[in-house]
Amino acid sequence: LSSKEAYGKWLLTFIENDLFEAQRGNVNSPIKSASDVLRDLRDLIRDTIDFKGLTEDSHRWIDSVFIPIMNRIAVGPPKERLEEMLALAECGILHLDLGPAPNVAVDTESNQIVLQSTVWPEYKRRADILVHAKISMHSPKDDGTPLWKQLLSKGFTRLYYNGKYHPGGIDVTKTMQVISQDGSVHGNMWALGIPTEGNKFYTFIVPRPGVNSTAIVDAGKAVNQLFALMAENRRALSYAE
């Protein structure tokens, strides 16, 4: 952090080195091979965490300590995004010289976003648009959409809690059926993905080839139940006729 130029050069070099290791793959790169161990263990970790597999204290520790470390090591954008980032930086479109954790504020007079370096306070950059490029952990209680407000206020669903800890998401059964406020299970309502994050672990990852990804498994559970319910209704109608 001797200067913003040195920081920018270091960061670009770091990205280039990481991209080089990614291009070598997890067979030829010891670094990517080691980090991929965590990716391969995610399903085992998920089996431990899902559906109150942890105590309340352990769940809090996993979310606050373990997951941020794991994300640093084994989670991130595909290498194509890094290549695009480097290309934008080389063209002078993308600037990476503000240093870590810059302050972000709005200049009400110019209606622009002002980014100020916390390392070199005299250094600022301005922007017209701020993109919140982050997947936030979802909790329906903080969601302002009418759908979630109605589902919660009318008792069609309830927030998921492990003890007194609400890691996010709503309560569902192991077959992904939505649980109502009074604890009853909806026979024809399922929830998948981020709305269940909390009761389940890492629902937002992209399915990978050759892996029994949780997104596909959970969707399969819901679809199989749906087809069974449709078949049962057809049988009931045929008997009635």
Side-chain angles (χ1 to χ4, degrees):
L1 299 177
S2 58
S3 68
K4 60 181 184 294
E5 292 80 13
Y7 174 80
K9 183 178 180 181
W10 168 83
L11 185 54
L12 287 174
T13 301
F14 183 89
I15 295 172
E16 289 170 351
N17 291 338
D18 190 48
L19 180 58
F20 172 75
E21 296 296 338
Q23 290 169 336
R24 293 179 68 190
N26 58 8
V27 174
N28 297 317
S29 168
I31 294 174
K32 295 305 176 183
S33 179
S35 64
D36 236 24
V37 170
L38 272 176
R39 292 168 64 90
D40 293 337
L41 288 175
R42 272 202 299 237
D43 279 339
L44 296 177
I45 297 171
R46 181 178 293 109
D47 287 342
T48 302
I49 296 175
D50 283 359
F51 305 108
K52 291 188 173 72
L54 299 175
T55 64
E56 178 183 341
D57 288 342
S58 293
H59 203 158
R60 290 179 185 272
W61 181 86
I62 283 284
D63 285 351
S64 62
V65 178
F66 175 76
I67 289 180
I69 294 174
M70 184 181 70
N71 287 347
R72 286 279 185 172
I73 297 172
V75 179
K79 58 184 177 60
E80 289 79 10
R81 299 292 87 81
L82 294 181
E83 292 169 342
E84 292 167 354
M85 180 181 287
L86 289 175
L88 290 172
E90 289 173 3
C91 293
I93 298 174
L94 177 65
H95 302 280
L96 302 169
D97 55 359
L98 282 164
N103 290 322
V104 181
V106 177
D107 184 341
T108 54
E109 292 185 2
S110 64
N111 203 28
Q112 286 184 309
I113 307 297
V114 179
L115 297 96
Q116 182 177 19
S117 173
T118 54
V119 183
W120 310 284
E122 72 284 354
Y123 184 53
K124 300 178 182 179
R125 282 192 177 274
R126 290 178 173 268
D128 297 315
I129 298 172
L130 175 65
V131 179
H132 188 65
K134 177 183 178 182
I135 298 177
S136 299
M137 292 299 97
H138 181 265
S139 176
K141 70 181 178 65
D142 302 321
D143 194 311
T145 59
L147 174 62
W148 280 116
K149 285 183 177 180
Q150 293 294 325
L151 286 172
L152 288 169
S153 65
K154 294 187 176 182
F156 288 113
T157 187
R158 66 184 183 186
L159 300 176
Y160 169 73
Y161 280 90
N162 187 354
K164 295 181 179 180
Y165 177 49
H166 173 55
I170 60 173
D171 209 358
V172 295
T173 68
K174 291 184 178 182
T175 52
M176 310 312 297
Q177 290 168 290
V178 175
I179 299 176
S180 63
Q181 187 64 46
D182 62 8
S184 59
V185 177
H186 290 282
N188 60 351
M189 186 188 300
W190 298 267
L192 301 170
I194 291 178
T196 67
E197 184 71 27
N199 199 350
K200 288 186 60 62
F201 171 74
Y202 255 59
T203 59
F204 46 81
I205 57 174
V206 178
R208 291 191 293 160
V211 177
N212 203 19
S213 298
T214 185
I216 297 174
V217 172
D218 291 345
K221 292 177 182 177
V223 171
N224 286 336
Q225 291 173 88
L226 177 60
F227 284 164
L229 185 61
M230 292 169 62
E232 183 180 332
N233 289 339
R234 283 196 297 268
R235 285 194 297 270
L237 287 173
S238 64
Y239 292 149
E241 293 174 355

